[in-house]
Amino acid sequence: MTEQATGAPRPQPRARTGGAQPQTVTVEHVTGAQSLIRSLEEVGADTVFGIPGGAILPAYDPLMDSARVRHVLVRHEQGAGHAATGYAQATGRVGVCMATSGPGATNLVTPIADAHMDSVPLVAITGQVASKSIGTDAFQEADICGITMPITKHNYLVTDPADIPRVIAEAFHIAATGRPGPVLVDVSKDALQARTTFSWPPTADLPGYRPVTKPHAKQIREAARLIAEARRPVLYVGGGVLKAGATTELKVLAELTGAPVTTTLMALGAFPDSHPQHLGMPGMHGTVAAVTALQKADLIVALGARFDDRVTGKLDSFAPYAKIVHADIDPAEIGKNRTADVPIVGDAREVIADLVVAVRAEHEAGRTGDYTEWWQQLNRWRETYPLGYDLPEDGSLSPQQVIERIGALAPENTVFAAGVGQHQMWAAHFIKYEKPTTWLNSGGLGTMGYAVPAALGAKAGVPERTVWAIDGDGCFQMTNQELVTAALNGIPIKVAIINNGALGMVRQWQTLFYNQRYSNTVLHSGPGEQGEPGEGAAQQPRGTRVPDFVKLAEAMGCVGIRCEDPAQLDAVIEKANSINDRPVVVDFVVHEDAMVWPMVAAGTSNDEVMAARGVRPDFGDSDD
């Protein structure tokens, strides 16, 4: 939805501000730009990631005087958006990014879409050309509201400065409540320059926005009955459980029922990896036990998950024996991909808390599930097909080992932000996540270049915690300029480049499905087959690194380290962990042929899961 705010706010009850006591109304005579910064202060925004430009420039003058809002000057607007996302994911608060009109605003489209797919609370503030120039193809004009309409929860075009406080208050409320997501506020330059009255708290004007948080009691009782009757249940946990802060309730429910738990890529840390009931991550590269448990289940209890294609595989063959209990705060998700036998609309924390009460009532009435045979099957799959990897025969670094050791040597409560590709899947598998907000990644959109700026934003939000970005050499080359931002702003993140010299995940598919024809996936040489330089390509001397990541890191004000020897692996990681006054970049030169397993090929059934190359699990039943 897009709202064009052009008139004075209509009289409405005041927005909720956390208490029932009468509040003193603050009134100031200011410019629209000053009103914008004052509004950000009042809603509690303490960090803004952005870049100034002509249309947004009026807002940057009062921003300089703010003692409550810190601005982090990034090097690219995409970095601003991902940094705001990382901040939001690490802190649970609304992330804020700011850009100018036209190309500044359009450079935010990717991180806005990313936040939309992963339900991240984000407010993007953009400058717009003067209101009289809108629609004339003025210099640096782009209809950013129209462009982002499909990828925002709501967006605003503000041309009247009187509307700024109300719009900012509403934007933060919409972004953070219900199913979280991004909200865009586009403000014309003349609205920023004009004189107005700043009044706080503002009045709310959201008559149609009423997220349902309390689940229906009848549906909760029906779900509890199915759990008690099931013989092969699975708790399918998605990122909504983390968004709702429901991890404590989830643990209680899991231990009360005794059911196995799978946590999606977006939900890692919602349930301890070390817990005996945890089967791991489901999906295209999920554990054999998690993938197969969903396939063979007779009941799936989906909590804050959306049955996306990476989890279900070929949808019409997914979980053919299972009844579905689907709980989500977004009613549009329920039944979208898989019909729910028991639909539950509500906040995950309230849903799970009510389920605990209802399941206990079932137990008190003598109705408890017997999952003994189910756990015997699950443990057999878990023991027969555990996660693992082979060390390279040539003595080079294994990428899985690198990531495993980073996780093992990291300080307690370290935050890990991953890029997209093989290293993302290895980081999901070989680092142990015991607590929430320890794993950040781009799940739904799969955005290469996410890791470095997201790690920067996370460290800005939780400076007391260690933050590692686990990145691939392909992803790193998309947004590494934000290391300058980190260095100059005193944000000492640590970056592990898993450097296999290729676009690893695409190369894996070329190995498996394209007869090893490595078209345009080699990163360390010019055009040609499998890295052979083509006509006109630059001939690099043997051993030359293009780019040399250590030199690049040092040029951007960071500590650069290279590791190629497994014998030095722990010492290099410990050295990186010991440096906390500057960003650290470690170039881990790893074997190029390592692959991510298990794997379900795109478009196939989860029944076709491969534990390793050429190894299809034997499930020992008549259906295989």
Side-chain angles (χ1 to χ4, degrees):
M1 296 182 291
T2 301
E3 171 178 318
Q4 184 167 359
T6 56
R10 288 175 286 171
Q12 293 287 333
R14 285 181 185 157
R16 289 181 297 167
T17 55
Q21 297 298 319
Q23 297 188 27
T24 302
V25 177
T26 300
V27 179
E28 302 172 21
H29 296 286
V30 295
T31 65
Q34 290 171 319
S35 179
L36 174 63
I37 303 307
R38 289 284 290 111
S39 298
L40 289 175
E41 291 175 342
E42 293 299 330
V43 295
D46 58 15
T47 307
V48 174
F49 304 91
I51 303 179
I56 195 66
L57 194 57
Y60 271 79
D61 188 64
L63 181 59
M64 189 176 184
D65 298 326
S66 177
R68 295 159 63 183
V69 179
R70 174 193 186 189
H71 182 270
V72 177
L73 176 63
V74 298
R75 265 48 188 174
H76 191 285
E77 289 89 357
Q78 183 179 353
H82 291 318
T85 293
Y87 172 97
Q89 290 174 312
T91 65
R93 300 194 292 271
V94 176
V96 187
C97 54
M98 189 180 293
T100 197
S101 64
T106 58
N107 280 341
L108 287 177
V109 169
T110 293
I112 289 172
D114 185 270
H116 180 68
M117 290 286 279
D118 287 345
S119 304
V120 178
L122 182 76
V123 171
I125 300 169
T126 54
Q128 184 54 273
V129 299
S131 55
K132 291 182 179 179
S133 298
I134 292 174
T136 68
D137 291 333
F139 177 66
Q140 290 194 334
E141 180 188 0
D143 178 11
I144 195 62
C145 286
I147 291 169
T148 61
M149 189 178 293
I151 54 171
T152 53
K153 276 188 76 174
H154 192 66
N155 61 35
Y156 296 86
L157 172 60
V158 182
T159 58
D160 184 339
D163 292 324
I164 290 173
R166 174 182 64 83
V167 166
I168 292 297
E170 289 178 7
F172 274 73
H173 177 69
I174 293 169
T177 55
R179 179 180 181 173
V183 178
L184 176 90
V185 179
D186 194 34
V187 189
S188 66
K189 187 172 183 177
D190 55 322
L192 292 171
Q193 294 172 321
R195 301 293 299 182
T196 186
T197 300
F198 171 78
S199 176
W200 197 272
T203 54
D205 187 18
L206 296 169
Y209 183 67
R210 296 288 185 273
V212 174
T213 58
K214 185 68 177 174
H216 196 287
K218 180 181 178 182
Q219 302 299 87
I220 291 290
R221 290 195 298 271
E222 180 64 10
R225 183 185 67 80
L226 290 180
I227 291 171
E229 292 179 352
R231 291 296 175 264
R232 302 188 306 278
V234 177
L235 300 182
Y236 162 36
V237 176
V241 170
L242 287 174
K243 299 291 189 299
T247 56
T248 299
E249 290 80 1
L250 173 65
K251 190 168 183 285
V252 172
L253 177 66
E255 292 177 346
L256 177 65
T257 62
V261 178
T262 68
T263 51
T264 67
L265 183 66
M266 292 306 300
L268 299 182
F271 192 74
D273 276 358
S274 61
H275 197 287
Q277 287 173 243
H278 192 219
L279 300 182
M281 181 180 76
M284 174 178 276
H285 292 294
T287 66
V288 170
V291 171
T292 309
L294 289 173
Q295 281 300 97
K296 308 301 182 185
D298 65 0
L299 176 67
I300 293 175
V301 181
L303 303 167
R306 57 189 179 87
F307 291 91
D308 67 287
D309 62 300
R310 280 301 192 260
V311 167
T312 65
K314 188 179 179 182
L315 187 60
D316 60 10
S317 67
F318 174 71
Y321 316 111
K323 290 185 177 180
I324 304 294
V325 173
H326 191 179
D328 202 287
I329 198 163
D330 184 357
E333 286 296 345
I334 297 176
K336 184 177 79 175
N337 294 327
R338 175 66 181 259
T339 301
D341 297 280
V342 181
I344 304 174
V345 178
D347 178 80
R349 189 172 185 178
E350 297 201 33
V351 168
I352 297 172
D354 287 1
L355 269 176
V356 167
V357 173
V359 169
R360 281 178 177 153
E362 290 288 318
H363 290 182
E364 290 168 2
R367 296 184 290 271
T368 58
D370 181 2
Y371 312 144
T372 304
E373 291 185 10
W374 184 221
W375 271 111
Q376 289 173 351
Q377 280 187 309
L378 296 172
N379 287 329
R380 184 168 66 250
W381 296 333
R382 189 156 54 177
E383 292 163 9
T384 306
Y385 306 106
L387 293 171
Y389 56 89
D390 296 322
L391 296 176
E393 294 181 359
D394 62 2
S396 59
L397 276 177
S398 155
Q400 300 98 318
Q401 183 184 25
V402 169
I403 292 170
E404 188 173 53
R405 295 308 297 162
I406 289 173
L409 296 173
E412 188 176 3
N413 294 324
T414 292
V415 177
F416 298 93
V420 171
Q422 289 180 315
H423 62 280
Q424 176 189 26
M425 296 297 103
W426 290 324
H429 282 317
F430 296 110
I431 295 174
K432 300 304 178 186
Y433 302 98
E434 300 295 315
K435 297 179 181 179
T437 68
T438 52
W439 165 251
L440 317 179
N441 84 127
S442 171
L445 199 63
T447 307
M448 292 179 68
Y450 165 91
V452 169
L456 181 155
K459 183 68 173 176
V462 287
E464 71 283 1
R465 296 170 67 180
T466 298
V467 179
W468 270 97
I470 309 294
D471 221 359
D473 48 332
C475 287
F476 180 74
Q477 291 183 70
M478 292 191 172
T479 53
N480 62 63
Q481 70 274 1
E482 300 309 334
L483 288 173
V484 176
T485 306
L488 293 179
N489 285 275
I491 303 174
I493 62 172
K494 307 179 194 303
V495 180
I497 305 173
I498 308 302
N499 182 3
N500 63 358
L503 298 172
M505 187 63 85
V506 185
R507 188 179 192 276
Q508 175 168 333
W509 282 44
Q510 288 173 336
T511 300
L512 297 174
F513 309 122
Y514 292 88
N515 298 316
Q516 301 181 39
R517 288 168 54 83
Y518 300 120
S519 172
N520 291 282
T521 48
V522 177
L523 293 173
H524 55 70
S525 64
E529 287 277 328
Q530 302 187 47
E532 293 298 324
E535 184 178 352
Q539 297 286 342
Q540 299 297 335
R542 182 179 296 275
T544 299
R545 305 175 191 275
V546 182
D548 185 319
F549 291 128
V550 171
K551 290 181 180 178
L552 184 63
E554 291 172 347
M556 291 192 283
C558 307
V559 176
I561 309 171
R562 180 171 290 113
C563 183
E564 300 180 82
D565 184 355
Q568 299 298 316
L569 180 58
D570 281 15
V572 167
I573 295 170
E574 287 172 345
K575 180 180 179 181
N577 281 327
S578 71
I579 299 170
N580 293 302
D581 60 342
R582 286 169 292 168
V584 182
V585 177
V586 187
D587 179 17
F588 291 102
V589 182
V590 301
H591 197 278
E592 69 178 359
D593 290 329
M595 292 193 188
V596 179
W597 299 103
M599 179 177 180
V600 179
T604 66
S605 169
N606 283 352
D607 288 323
E608 304 299 320
V609 62
M610 302 294 289
R613 191 171 185 181
V615 180
R616 185 171 181 273
D618 178 6
F619 299 117
D621 61 30
S622 59
D623 298 309
D624 298 302

